[in-house]
Amino acid sequence: MPTGEIVIDLGAIRSNFRWLKRQLVLGSELAAVVKADAYGLGVERIVPVLAEEGCRVFFVTTAEEALVVRHVSKHSTIYVLNGITESQDWELYSRDYGIRPVLNNLNQVDQWLEVRGAGELAAGIQLDTGMTRYGLTEAQLTPLKKRLEGGVVPSLVMSHLACAEDELHWLNSVQMRRFKHFVDVLDLGQNSGCILSLANSSGIFLGEGYHFALVRAGAALYGINPQPEQINKMAGVLNLRAKVAQVRFVDSPTTVGYGATHQINARTRVATVPVGYADGFLRALGGRASAYIGDTCVPVIGRVSMDAITLDISGVPEAVDVETEPVELIGPRRPVDVVASEAGTIAYEILARISHRIRRVYIDEVGGE
Ligand SMILES: *Cc1c(COP(=O)(O)O)cnc(C)c1O
């Protein structure tokens, strides 16, 4: 273990995919969102596993990410959420690699129509029903419809929920109604040949009315709780662990770390672990998080450095060899959602920021059911 390692259970991802699929209304398909290197967990290992489980549609953010998915999955449908960006050669991406842009504005629609020519290049269209980020607004539906005249049908029409993890949020049903209305205006409903998609992971739990033909799940596949108000039903996917680099016995008053923010007055054992914010252990966790050594929960004391943290391991029994025992920083007893709330952020950010100095190790365990 050079600095730290993250053990990723592909079997847990498999079982999360199967379980989420079972929650969908009949006729709705589960797509996997694997942007940002599958939320930092390694797209090249995760896509083949999901494909084996029957996943046929993948979403990424950029064309470069799409090429990586295509490299490990020859036959899947791949959508690029950022759509066409100028510098990219869409003839190549679309024609040679079969990668589909999600068109987010009229400019992108025009570029696509130009590239497409008389051909059949597929693309998705994003509608803005309340995110105010990407997608065409209600005012742009008429110009869009004009451009689609003559039987040009996008392969996908999607929108994105802003508050899906909050089941009672007023915006959820507003977005759903707008989505349906926009689709009606565009004549892209049933029998148009266009696939409709609204829900992310959390959107699945808002009810079957949110599922439409395709659900785009990311977070829940990777073990993040899609229903933060309830017990997490997803299988835990990762274990971020490290080894103690050094132990110091402190027996006179002293302070720990940058800014001398932690004061030690009584006899204390302090362990230094070579994982810091450059590894993705966020600085905000200093003085807030804890870790496990054996069965003992130990607090992170003082500030998080770029390359190290310090733990008060006074409570670890003498019988435990702290030099060899792995230190669990994120894992079954330190769920990523808990770590995130200690850092004042969301689990998505914790995952996406685990740096590549942390070695990825893959196992395939839970899936044997
Ligand atoms: C990231 C993303 C998703 C996946 O959301 P999760 O909450 O991770 O399931 C779906 N759709 C769009 C447009 C996204 O950007």
Side-chain angles (χ1 to χ4, degrees), residues 33 35 39 81 126 133 158 160 200-201 216-220 348:
V33 180
K35 63 195 179 191
Y39 293 39
L81 289 166
Q126 173 146 218
R133 185 177 71 170
M158 57 170 274
H160 191 44
N200 64 337
S201 298
R216 310 180 306 273
Y348 297 68

Side-chain angles (χ1 to χ4, degrees), residues 165 202 219-220 223-234 336-337 347:
E165 71 290 345
S202 296
I224 295 174
N225 190 357
Q227 299 172 281
E229 303 298 316
Q230 297 188 32
I231 288 176
N232 194 355
K233 301 183 187 77
M234 309 318 300
V336 63
D337 290 288

